[in-house]
Amino acid sequence: MKTVRLTAAQAMVRYLSKQQNEDGVPFFGGCWAIFGHGNVAGMGEALHGIGDDFPTWRGHNEQGMAHAAIAYAKASNRKRAMTVTTSIGPGATNMVTAAALAHVNRLPVLFVPGDVFANRAPDPVLQQVEDFGDGTISANDCFKPVSRYFDRIMRAEQLLTALPRAMATLTDPADCGPVTLAFCQDVQAEAFDWPESFFETKIWKTKRPRADLDQLDAAVAAIRAAKQPMIIAGGGVHYAGACDALAEFAHRHNIPVGETQAGKSSMPWDDDLNLGSIGVTGASSANAIAENADLIIAVGTRLQDFTTGSWALFKHPDRRILSINVASYDAAKHNAIAVTGDAKITLAEIGNMLGDYRAPAIDAGLKSDWIAAVDKVTASPTGNALPTDAQVIGAVQRSVDDDAIVVCAAGGLPGELHKLWKAAKPNGYHVEYGFSCMGYEIAGGLGVKMAQPDREVVVMVGDGSYMMMNSELATSVMLGHKIITVILDNRGYGCINRLQMATGGESFNNLLDTARHVVPSAIDFTAHAGSMGAIAEKVSSISELEAAMERARKADRSYAIVIDTDPLPSTDAGGHWWDVAVPEVSVRSTVNEARKNYEAALKQQRPGD
Ligand SMILES: Cc1ncc(C[n+]2csc(CCOP(=O)(O)OP(=O)(O)O)c2C)c(N)n1
Ligand SMILES: [Mg+2]
């Protein structure tokens, strides 16, 4: 056997650089790194040595780097991913929130945090968490519940099994999620004689598991028996590359489609059968059909509460769920008629079995009424009042072309964008709403741009989320990956303040002015973004915003536009109830009133069937 002598870290990066997807491009776009004593000597030297064959980027915050990596994978429909390496201790735990985000969203990312010395000679090393009862625990054990595969590399040759297992998880459509290889810092530097065959180019073809024949029969029977079927398109439609297959299936059988947050942009917004967003932040058109549908055909969706209106949306007394999902865990949810298989192939197979079956025509007025409602709230305002989020969305939408990608994650904007954004092309809508993590937006926008350099990337972010994490804006400037960031400053956590009031609460601790303070907060977002190297300006009206967007599009550098917005209004049209528990006893009459409404709403909820 021919061998090559390398350190464990050198072997890891060489192996990773040799993994390719079915398009013959490297599976890993490269590696984000912030070094500390836990990875600078081992991983640092290895990454330097491999150079452009496995490029390294320096970020400003481990969580931000990880967000960029995850967004890159999402914008690549999971066909590409990135590695993120950190030191031990705080560098590692800074990444745990991002690991949870990737886990919830089923997105691939490889985390390589440094770990304590395997030989334990210098124990306790700087930043080592000492467990009094368990010598095997380190800070990296925090990754276990939020990793699809976790391993601790305590001997160099463990990589011979750990790395292929990592790749199997990252490229498996059902098991896909974050992998953590906690890399003991002394082991990173240890040499071993590796078989050369370990470093041969390896191609990971997208797996398309086919559904069981009995499951397909059951699905076809259910659709044939349905009086009003409806499709819910989830993120799995994108990840399976099934956008065309979905449109073909819907049109052949005349079945209307509603889109989840992750599924949005799987069909163009103006397709007659795309009835818009579904659920809590849904369109009146999609939700009206959903309320009366006797068969919900869920394709590639986790059926999260925002999609199902906390299981109060589907009101038909005999409604059934038919769930097509590559993961049997998801397909089996809610007593569904489960079809476990790849969305693209399964839709085609069910379509062929259905033949010329067509569902009854739907009322075209549902969609035209909804679009009229969208156009009304996104139109330019006439007066001088502070603009709403919807009006800002309208201005951004009018300023970009069909290729643009809008990026968002938390606050009031995801709901407004879900309702109002007109996504023309697949992946033009990138909203992380599985974890809805404040601070994903700007770092995520950077990752999206790295995956889709030819498309305009517009990050829409609230002041609260901007303040939570913005430092990768500097990274976008430094790396020359231009993003446009629109910062909507409504002086606080507007959506939670609205939720607080809707549940009977007093406006308290959400908006900056109703939070305890000595000096009123006055954050200069323009100066802040400008200080990181972005071109930044503040606008004071929707028409000024449109003019600024034009300058931003022409600019060759990351650009930030700040606009003050009204924290109180959100779009009334569309939408559905969402289960947020209201206190059963309170001295406040508004809470008691909200509780009464809550108890009435709970009667609509059907969690069991
Ligand atoms: C990391 C994180 N912490 C807390 C929350 C809960 N949360 C959701 S939205 C929100 C407020 C967001 O404020 P901002 O970005 O200004 O948007 P706005 O609500 O004003 O539109 C909070 C605190 C969250 N989603 N993520
Ligand atoms: Mg805000």
Side-chain angles (χ1 to χ4, degrees):
M1 185 175 66
K2 275 193 152 178
T3 58
V4 51
R5 190 158 178 83
L6 300 169
T7 68
Q10 289 161 351
M12 177 186 276
V13 300
R14 184 177 295 193
Y15 175 90
L16 295 177
S17 75
K18 298 291 182 184
Q19 310 305 305
Q20 296 189 352
N21 69 19
E22 63 188 356
D23 303 327
V25 297
F27 180 75
F28 291 99
C31 184
W32 287 100
I34 291 181
F35 296 137
H37 68 93
N39 65 340
V40 70
M43 284 297 285
E45 189 276 340
L47 286 165
H48 176 261
I50 200 161
D52 288 345
D53 287 346
F54 194 68
T56 302
W57 307 285
R58 178 196 178 285
H60 288 89
N61 173 300
E62 289 85 359
Q63 186 186 348
M65 297 194 299
H67 285 171
I70 295 162
Y72 178 89
K74 182 174 164 75
S76 307
N77 288 335
R78 311 200 297 196
K79 284 179 127 185
R80 301 195 75 191
M82 285 176 170
T83 302
V84 191
T85 181
T86 69
S87 191
I88 74 168
T93 53
N94 263 359
M95 223 163 33
V96 173
T97 299
L101 187 157
H103 195 276
V104 169
N105 286 288
R106 319 277 169 85
L107 291 167
V109 56
L110 176 61
F111 297 121
V112 184
D115 210 319
V116 298
F117 278 73
N119 68 21
R120 303 191 180 170
D123 273 19
V125 68
L126 174 69
Q127 299 167 333
Q128 179 164 342
V129 172
E130 294 183 276
D131 187 292
F132 293 168
D134 186 342
T136 69
I137 295 277
S138 83
N140 288 330
D141 284 80
C142 297
F143 284 95
K144 284 185 174 170
V146 285
S147 296
R148 289 269 172 215
Y149 181 72
F150 176 92
D151 209 343
R152 179 172 282 119
I153 309 303
M154 304 182 71
R155 295 178 62 142
E157 61 268 41
Q158 283 175 351
L159 288 178
L160 292 168
T161 46
L163 285 170
R165 286 178 188 165
M167 285 307 299
T169 301
L170 295 169
T171 59
D172 187 276
D175 291 347
C176 188
V179 170
T180 303
L181 298 181
F183 210 172
C184 290
Q185 60 188 88
D186 49 344
V187 179
Q188 291 177 32
E190 272 171 26
F192 182 75
D193 295 308
W194 307 87
E196 278 195 351
S197 59
F198 189 55
F199 304 111
E200 281 165 12
T201 298
K202 166 108 183 141
I203 293 183
W204 297 85
K205 207 185 153 308
T206 303
K207 283 180 268 177
R208 299 201 173 278
R210 302 179 84 131
D212 175 87
L213 293 179
D214 291 339
Q215 289 192 331
L216 290 175
D217 283 341
V220 170
I223 297 173
R224 280 194 194 287
K227 295 199 176 58
Q228 179 56 75
M230 173 182 202
I231 296 167
I232 298 181
V237 173
H238 287 296
Y239 305 147
C243 293
D244 291 345
L246 172 74
E248 201 180 306
F249 181 87
H251 281 280
R252 185 169 176 194
H253 307 299
N254 199 41
I255 305 177
V257 177
E259 293 177 323
T260 71
Q261 284 276 12
K264 191 166 163 114
S265 79
S266 50
M267 270 171 112
W269 72 274
D270 55 356
D271 186 306
D272 289 348
L273 283 173
N274 183 353
L275 292 196
S277 51
I278 184 117
V280 175
T281 52
S284 59
S285 39
N287 281 351
I289 299 278
E291 286 191 350
N292 297 312
D294 56 349
L295 186 70
I296 302 294
I297 307 173
V299 186
T301 164
R302 300 188 302 125
L303 294 173
Q304 182 229 44
D305 64 349
F306 263 73
T307 300
T308 65
S310 304
W311 288 102
L313 175 58
F314 313 127
K315 296 198 188 332
H316 193 289
D318 304 321
R319 66 119 164 96
R320 289 298 309 267
I321 311 289
L322 162 61
S323 189
I324 301 170
N325 206 296
V326 75
S328 52
Y329 179 93
D330 293 308
K333 282 174 180 170
H334 284 271
N335 198 22
I337 303 161
V339 183
T340 308
D342 170 77
K344 185 172 169 176
I345 296 217
T346 306
L347 284 171
E349 287 189 331
I350 294 176
N352 288 338
M353 290 164 76
L354 275 174
D356 52 11
Y357 160 90
R358 281 178 75 75
I362 48 162
D363 173 4
L366 288 173
K367 170 107 186 224
S368 54
D369 286 355
W370 172 248
I371 297 299
V374 171
D375 290 343
K376 190 169 166 212
V377 295
T378 54
S380 291
T382 44
N384 287 330
L386 276 178
T388 62
D389 288 357
Q391 288 162 346
V392 173
I393 289 170
V396 172
Q397 179 101 62
R398 289 189 290 277
S399 307
V400 297
D401 61 29
D402 283 355
D403 275 330
I405 303 175
V406 67
V407 179
C408 191
L413 280 166
E416 296 293 281
L417 286 166
H418 192 217
K419 282 185 180 183
L420 307 173
W421 189 259
K422 293 174 176 171
K425 294 196 177 165
N427 298 101
Y429 182 85
H430 183 121
V431 176
E432 186 285 291
Y433 213 64
F435 213 45
S436 188
C437 186
M438 292 170 73
Y440 175 84
E441 298 85 351
I442 288 172
L446 170 58
V448 172
K449 188 68 180 179
M450 291 173 94
Q452 305 277 352
D454 299 329
R455 295 175 76 168
E456 191 83 78
V457 174
V458 183
V459 175
M460 296 191 68
V461 60
D463 57 309
S465 296
Y466 179 92
M467 287 303 289
M468 194 154 304
M469 199 185 306
N470 49 59
S471 46
E472 304 320 324
L473 185 57
T475 316
S476 82
V477 173
M478 182 168 150
L479 290 175
H481 294 300
K482 178 199 161 189
I483 55 176
I484 300 174
T485 300
V486 181
I487 302 161
L488 289 82
D489 182 7
N490 60 9
R491 298 189 57 74
Y493 305 148
C495 70
I496 308 295
N497 179 61
R498 292 196 294 272
L499 183 60
Q500 185 170 52
M501 294 193 298
T503 50
E506 181 70 41
S507 185
F508 160 65
N509 203 52
N510 280 307
L511 299 181
L512 292 165
D513 295 325
T514 55
R516 198 183 292 264
H517 63 272
V518 176
V519 179
S521 172
I523 301 159
D524 185 341
F525 290 94
T526 319
H528 188 272
S531 75
M532 286 190 280
I535 305 168
E537 60 172 305
K538 182 159 186 177
V539 297
S540 54
S541 70
I542 291 296
S543 56
E544 280 185 25
L545 171 59
E546 288 183 51
M549 279 296 295
E550 228 172 275
R551 289 189 286 277
R553 289 197 61 191
K554 289 200 190 105
D556 59 359
R557 221 185 329 150
S558 286
Y559 208 102
I561 306 171
V562 183
I563 184 165
D564 290 343
T565 52
D566 189 335
L568 293 179
S570 63
T571 299
D572 286 333
H576 193 272
W577 178 72
W578 182 37
D579 190 345
V580 177
V582 179
E584 210 167 349
V585 288
S586 169
V587 292
R588 291 169 47 79
S589 61
T590 48
V591 175
N592 296 331
E593 191 58 34
R595 174 73 195 186
K596 250 195 256 159
N597 296 337
Y598 177 64
E599 285 177 11
L602 280 179
K603 297 202 174 83
Q604 305 285 315
Q605 195 175 41
R606 291 164 57 191
D609 62 340

